[in-house]
Amino acid sequence: MKWETIEEVLLELGETSQEKWERLFEKWSDHRWHDHERPSEKTNVLLVDAGFILTDGRANLEALHQWLADHVQTTVSDLYLVSLFPYQTKQQDTAIDSRVQLFEDLGRFTDEFDLIYEMTPEAWNESQLDLVTVTDELIERLAYGATKIRVHVESFRGIEPERVKHILKLWRTIMHTYKPNAQLIVANERVDSVLNFEEEADVVCHFDLSSHVILAFAQANVTRLTDWARQVHSLRANQTYFNFLSSAERDPFEKNLMDTNPDVILAAHSVLLSLQGIPLIDYRTLFGVSQPVEQEDLVRALKRDPDRLRVYEGILSQLNVKRLHPALSPYISQEVLNLDRRVFAVKRTHQEETLLLLTNMSEETVQTDCEGTSLFTEEWMTNVTLRPYEYVWLKQSHNGE
């Protein structure tokens, strides 16, 4: 890292001590940096609590790694690991720094998955924010496998918004220097923010998709969801959104539904995957769990509960189809159509490929005049009829006729 690379933004932050920053970058100068692929249609993120797989009642990262490698590796590209801190080391490793031990233990995941980490703690204020130390923690995450790092704007308590922008700009610059395809994910739940923090992000979090989807199901009417999706403004060519129905800070999506019918849950995920952006799937929804579970119990539960198995297989099927179509890249824009008040319809076009993704968000059968080749069955369909909560993804000709 050259001083000139970050000199301008550090001066904007009032950081004039070149020596301390050069010491920081010297610390990482011998690290062998490995870049990753830019997000694409193959980018599917799974939110995972690092302690959700138990062995004899204790969280087991090795068992978690094996479970994910066996069950989702060919479908999921990224793991968004939460509940990592504080990390309990093995008893014989008590002399090892728990943070270092954590990252070393997580290293086993990086052969199969890209990793997303949070920045911690959950809150900083001006007096406690040692920018060099926190930046060192950011670089440490990159060094130990992170391809994407999520920063919540609300973590900066009482710090001037303009200074927060400069900090984000610094971190994004450093990330791209070490890993050109790394992604800074910026989360900001306040829609009334004085400043637009999106300018410093590679990926921008959407927080209100879930509420619009729930409302559409409750009313059997997609009007507000369609209006919201149409108002989502375009980002720069190298930016995209981060879309989710539930998150680490919130309940799983289905807990907020009046109807947890598997058809409804799968229809909701059809909406999620229709939209421009990187999709996040909640492990609680995918595996049907609400708390940490023994690995053997999880296997038995999936086999014995047909509804859980249907959701699991249905979401993976959607993700596998998405991976095959460049029109579903997170950087491809969307056209949200007015088709029927009960049907959420999105068109995605890339070069010669035009896709039409239809989701019936009502318990009524809906007749349409749409046609195309089903992405799931590869059969040609005309005058597509959508059963209650059915979704149909179609490949059309380039002009969509």
Side-chain angles (χ1 to χ4, degrees), residues 347-363:
K347 183 175 287 189
R348 306 284 297 276
T349 301
H350 173 71
Q351 297 179 359
E352 298 304 313
E353 180 179 69
T354 295
L355 304 182
L356 178 63
L357 301 99
L358 309 173
T359 306
N360 183 0
M361 303 187 74
S362 77
E363 57 183 9

Side-chain angles (χ1 to χ4, degrees), residues 6 19 50 52 54 106 129 159 171 183 221 231 246 258 274 279 294 315 340 353 380-381 385 393:
I6 59 169
E19 182 180 354
F52 107 87
L54 305 178
L106 289 174
L129 178 60
I159 300 178
W171 288 352
Q183 306 279 298
N221 189 325
Q231 292 168 7
S246 55
M258 293 181 291
S274 300
E294 293 282 338
I315 292 176
D340 183 285
E353 180 179 69
W380 176 260
M381 305 177 70
T385 299
W393 297 359

Side-chain angles (χ1 to χ4, degrees), residues 103-151:
F103 285 126
E104 289 181 352
D105 286 354
L106 289 174
R108 71 192 70 189
F109 290 85
T110 57
D111 287 339
E112 294 90 7
F113 304 99
D114 287 349
L115 300 178
I116 302 178
Y117 293 144
E118 291 269 4
M119 286 298 291
T120 53
E122 296 182 357
W124 296 289
N125 58 48
E126 189 68 61
S127 62
Q128 74 173 162
L129 178 60
D130 182 333
L131 190 54
V132 176
T133 299
V134 178
T135 301
D136 185 29
E137 293 173 0
L138 175 103
I139 299 172
E140 181 181 52
R141 283 160 169 73
L142 284 180
Y144 284 99
T147 64
K148 303 171 184 66
I149 295 178
R150 183 177 181 266
V151 180

Side-chain angles (χ1 to χ4, degrees), residues 119 121-126 128-129 131 134 151-161 163-168 171 186-187 190 197:
M119 286 298 291
E122 296 182 357
W124 296 289
N125 58 48
E126 189 68 61
Q128 74 173 162
L129 178 60
L131 190 54
V134 178
V151 180
H152 210 298
V153 171
E154 276 72 26
S155 295
F156 299 93
R157 304 286 175 84
I159 300 178
E160 289 297 322
R163 180 169 174 81
V164 175
K165 282 191 66 174
H166 291 319
I167 292 172
L168 296 177
W171 288 352
V186 174
R190 289 186 56 191
F197 296 99

Side-chain angles (χ1 to χ4, degrees), residues 180-301:
N181 287 325
Q183 306 279 298
L184 179 64
I185 304 174
V186 174
N188 181 21
E189 293 191 64
R190 289 186 56 191
V191 296
D192 60 341
S193 294
V194 177
L195 289 179
N196 180 10
F197 296 99
E198 293 178 2
E199 296 175 7
E200 310 309 332
D202 295 300
V203 183
V204 178
C205 285
H206 268 158
F207 282 94
D208 41 7
L209 172 61
S210 178
S211 60
H212 285 290
V213 171
I214 290 171
L215 181 64
F217 282 126
Q219 297 180 338
N221 189 325
V222 303
T223 302
R224 291 190 181 181
L225 173 61
T226 296
D227 290 345
W228 170 81
R230 283 180 165 170
Q231 292 168 7
V232 172
H233 61 275
S234 298
L235 298 171
R236 297 194 309 266
N238 62 344
Q239 289 180 304
T240 190
Y241 286 103
F242 198 46
N243 299 324
F244 43 85
L245 295 171
S246 55
S247 65
E249 300 91 349
R250 303 183 182 190
D251 290 329
F253 172 75
E254 61 271 17
K255 186 174 181 179
N256 298 307
L257 287 174
M258 293 181 291
D259 183 357
T260 55
N261 181 335
D263 291 337
V264 175
I265 296 174
L266 292 175
H269 284 77
S270 172
V271 173
L272 170 69
L273 300 183
S274 300
L275 296 171
Q276 178 187 7
I278 296 171
L280 175 143
I281 308 298
D282 191 326
Y283 79 104
R284 296 169 293 185
T285 300
L286 183 64
F287 299 126
V289 299
S290 58
Q291 58 189 8
V293 60
E294 293 282 338
Q295 184 172 354
E296 295 79 6
D297 294 339
L298 181 55
V299 173
R300 284 194 293 269

Side-chain angles (χ1 to χ4, degrees), residues 50-66 87 90 108-109 295:
F52 107 87
I53 291 289
L54 305 178
T55 301
D56 297 328
R58 295 189 62 184
N60 187 330
L61 270 180
E62 186 173 352
L64 174 64
H65 169 248
Q66 191 60 53
Y87 182 64
K90 301 170 187 176
R108 71 192 70 189
F109 290 85
Q295 184 172 354

